[in-house]
Amino acid sequence: MEEESDNRKINNSFLRDHNYATEADIISTVEFNSTGELLATGDKGGRVVVFQREQESKNQPQRRGEYNVYSTFQSHEPEFDYLKSLEIEEKINKIRWLPQQNAAYFLLSTNDKTVKLWKISERDKRPEGYNLKDDDGRIRDPATITSLRVPVLRPMDLMVEATPRRVFSNGHTYHINSISVNSDYETYMSTDDLRINLWHLEITNRSFNIVDIKPANMEELTEVITAAEFHPHQCNTFVYSSSKGSIRLCDMRAAALCDNHSKFFEEPEDPSNRSFFSEIISSISDVKFSHSGRYLMTRDYLTVKVWDLNMESKPLETYQVHDYLRSKLCSLYENDCIFDKFECVWNGSDSMIMTGSYNNFFRMFDRNTKRDVTLEASRENSKPRAVLKPRKVCVGGKRRKDEISVDSLDFSKKILHTTWHPSENIIAVAATNNLYIFQDKVN
């Protein structure tokens, strides 16, 4: 990943028509499955769109890597909580894939209150020759049935069906902000502002509360839970982050209620940087275990930090995402952008990390060479197979030809949601209502 000539190439981008884009079209989550063959997006309208990667064909070997729409379904509908007179949005907050066990695919999707388990399966045969029904599906009169037929399976056009298998509801008083599937593949957890619940994938009518930080008197509330994730290999370990910038590692073997953490990660604030906004910008918006399980990555408003699980005192690495916004915090507070929740992701080998920024910029950091690059996901430079040029933001002084001034950044265009293919250099970036898929240039 060279600064001078970055060789990421646009593979293809799934663009919805700008003229017809509504609030419901804004992508709210994006997630590869464990093989990278499928990519799911959820949007504010409660829809899930699943893309499937094209298989390589002998006569067109370069076609490998195209992602095309595989299945689209309505996962959540708007609801109304009559007890609290509250509307419950249909917006999909998170999607998590379950590891594939058979020919079908399973994913969990959640809005603010309800988690659903969906099965996505293919059908290319249909049974014909029923005894009790005629070919149109009407029930036949038993008196007219004089002989027995053996039903046969006939080929039909491929159909992809999405069916809800489980609905996990009534588990949360507050809004669900994250879900995480355990490495035992039998349980998962759902997290809201004050509590974390553990569910069994087969049991929908009860869950176990494993973290509860709600104070007896709500006026004493000082922090909320912002995200939580299970360890990739140890099914007893999970972490959760808070709005105060701390991360707690918990062990479910220690106690049924993990209110007492095993490890506590927090970086003390530099007094010279103290300001009115310090508390807001230190809130952690995302936390992710590395694939190896050795490291943690956290994203706050201005930085990405990498923590070693064996060192609680300070982060191993700190990367400045958009330090040039430090002087703009006042206006970002006024337009509410300071509360944006950016996500962060690891690549398959844990050597690089990626996170989003404003103006449809996203940042990549190479942990080995300490190089970083800013790239832009926008329609203007998204011609298929185009090579992305690194972007630079200048702060004050003279602006070079290819630089963009910090004052001309568009804060309405933000990249909050990104995901990285588990084994290849393919990334998916959600920019408002557009999904961009980029891959490394293949020589």
Side-chain angles (χ1 to χ4, degrees):
M1 193 185 72
E2 295 292 319
E3 267 279 16
E4 292 74 43
S5 59
D6 187 79
N7 64 347
R8 297 200 85 72
K9 145 185 111 162
I10 294 192
N11 181 20
N12 61 337
S13 57
F14 171 65
L15 301 171
R16 293 172 174 163
D17 193 330
H18 253 299
N19 305 326
Y20 298 105
T22 62
E23 180 79 4
D25 292 325
I26 294 174
I27 297 172
S28 51
T29 183
V30 51
E31 188 79 12
F32 276 110
N33 75 339
S34 56
T35 61
E37 289 303 300
L38 297 181
L39 171 67
T41 66
D43 63 25
K44 286 192 172 182
R47 291 179 300 254
V48 172
V49 181
V50 179
F51 299 86
Q52 186 182 41
R53 195 175 184 191
E54 288 289 305
Q55 293 303 312
E56 189 174 329
S57 58
K58 286 196 170 64
N59 49 0
Q60 287 182 305
Q62 77 281 2
R63 286 280 297 181
R64 177 83 173 128
E66 296 273 325
Y67 281 84
N68 293 318
V69 177
Y70 178 62
S71 173
T72 305
F73 58 94
Q74 187 73 30
S75 172
H76 287 69
E77 303 279 355
E79 294 171 58
F80 193 77
D81 184 339
Y82 291 98
L83 288 174
K84 294 189 178 150
S85 294
L86 273 182
E87 282 186 42
I88 301 166
E89 284 187 344
E90 64 273 40
K91 173 190 164 198
I92 309 289
N93 291 341
K94 281 282 183 293
I95 289 173
R96 288 289 178 264
W97 291 91
L98 272 62
Q100 194 176 358
Q101 311 281 0
N102 52 30
Y105 302 99
F106 289 87
L107 63 82
L108 287 168
S109 66
T110 183
N111 67 348
D112 285 342
K113 296 289 180 193
T114 306
V115 183
K116 293 185 181 181
L117 174 68
W118 288 88
K119 176 186 180 182
I120 301 167
S121 53
E122 295 182 356
R123 215 160 50 126
D124 59 358
K125 291 184 175 61
R126 68 163 180 266
E128 283 181 5
Y130 288 107
N131 289 288
L132 299 176
K133 295 183 202 162
D134 57 25
D135 292 338
D136 302 331
R138 289 192 297 264
I139 301 292
R140 288 165 66 182
D141 178 6
T144 64
I145 301 171
T146 56
S147 61
L148 280 177
R149 295 195 287 181
V150 177
V152 289
L153 287 172
R154 299 241 185 266
M156 58 177 261
D157 289 341
L158 179 69
M159 258 177 68
V160 180
E161 297 176 315
T163 45
R165 298 306 300 268
R166 309 259 186 287
V167 177
F168 305 89
S169 53
N170 304 326
H172 289 274
T173 311
Y174 306 97
H175 290 177
I176 299 172
N177 55 43
S178 56
I179 47 177
S180 178
V181 180
N182 201 347
S183 59
D184 62 10
Y185 306 146
E186 289 184 0
T187 55
Y188 76 92
M189 65 180 173
S190 56
T191 308
D192 67 28
D193 294 342
L194 299 178
R195 297 192 180 103
I196 301 177
N197 290 343
L198 182 70
W199 301 80
H200 194 285
L201 283 163
E202 300 291 330
I203 301 166
T204 58
N205 60 355
R206 68 171 183 270
S207 62
F208 295 96
N209 180 222
I210 51 175
V211 171
D212 186 349
I213 65 164
K214 185 182 178 186
N217 178 5
M218 280 295 270
E219 287 176 4
E220 294 166 10
L221 183 69
T222 56
E223 64 180 330
V224 293
I225 302 170
T226 53
E229 190 178 59
F230 271 119
H231 190 283
H233 316 303
Q234 299 165 7
C235 60
N236 54 286
T237 309
F238 68 93
V239 292
Y240 68 91
S241 59
S242 89
S243 56
K244 275 195 159 175
S246 58
I247 309 109
R248 292 171 175 83
L249 181 85
C250 301
D251 187 340
M252 292 195 289
R253 296 171 302 186
L257 194 62
C258 303
D259 284 355
N260 296 322
H261 48 264
S262 311
K263 291 190 174 181
F264 182 79
F265 303 87
E266 187 176 46
E267 186 173 30
E269 196 195 356
D270 178 0
S272 63
N273 280 341
R274 179 104 194 122
S275 75
F276 170 74
F277 306 108
S278 294
E279 230 166 82
I280 303 172
I281 62 173
S282 68
S283 174
I284 292 173
S285 53
D286 196 17
V287 58
K288 292 265 174 41
F289 273 106
S290 62
H291 294 83
S292 66
R294 170 73 190 268
Y295 303 104
L296 272 177
M297 170 167 56
T298 60
R299 170 74 209 256
D300 57 40
Y301 191 66
L302 294 176
T303 64
V304 172
K305 291 171 182 164
V306 174
W307 302 78
D308 187 323
L309 282 194
N310 301 329
M311 185 171 80
E312 298 167 64
S313 55
K314 63 174 197 286
L316 203 60
E317 301 152 24
T318 300
Y319 301 97
Q320 299 295 337
V321 178
H322 37 216
D323 204 43
Y324 47 79
L325 294 184
R326 228 175 252 284
S327 59
K328 294 257 174 287
L329 291 178
C330 202
S331 54
L332 289 163
Y333 178 76
E334 284 165 5
N335 64 15
D336 277 355
C337 284
I338 202 166
F339 302 107
D340 284 333
K341 292 175 169 50
F342 292 95
E343 294 171 9
C344 52
V345 284
W346 300 89
N347 72 340
S349 60
D350 298 335
S351 62
M352 287 177 62
I353 54 185
M354 170 174 64
T355 190
S357 180
Y358 293 103
N359 208 67
N360 279 356
F361 288 169
F362 58 98
R363 303 269 284 134
M364 292 174 138
F365 302 95
D366 188 319
R367 297 182 57 213
N368 300 324
T369 64
K370 296 295 182 251
R371 282 191 166 157
D372 63 270
V373 67
T374 303
L375 300 171
E376 182 181 5
S378 73
R379 283 176 166 255
E380 289 68 60
N381 60 14
S382 70
K383 295 183 176 62
R385 314 240 174 292
V387 176
L388 285 187
K389 290 189 173 65
R391 304 300 306 261
K392 282 197 174 68
V393 178
C394 84
V395 188
K398 287 182 75 174
R399 184 167 69 88
R400 289 206 195 122
K401 183 167 68 80
D402 56 344
E403 289 183 338
I404 181 166
S405 160
V406 69
D407 296 315
S408 54
L409 294 176
D410 187 344
F411 293 111
S412 66
K413 293 178 176 173
K414 51 193 101 169
I415 289 178
L416 304 176
H417 314 287
T418 57
T419 182
W420 204 308
H421 189 288
S423 54
E424 296 178 44
N425 271 339
I426 298 176
I427 57 172
V429 174
T432 324
N433 59 316
N434 298 323
L435 178 71
Y436 296 88
I437 298 170
F438 303 106
Q439 73 174 31
D440 246 358
K441 190 160 68 179
V442 185
N443 296 326

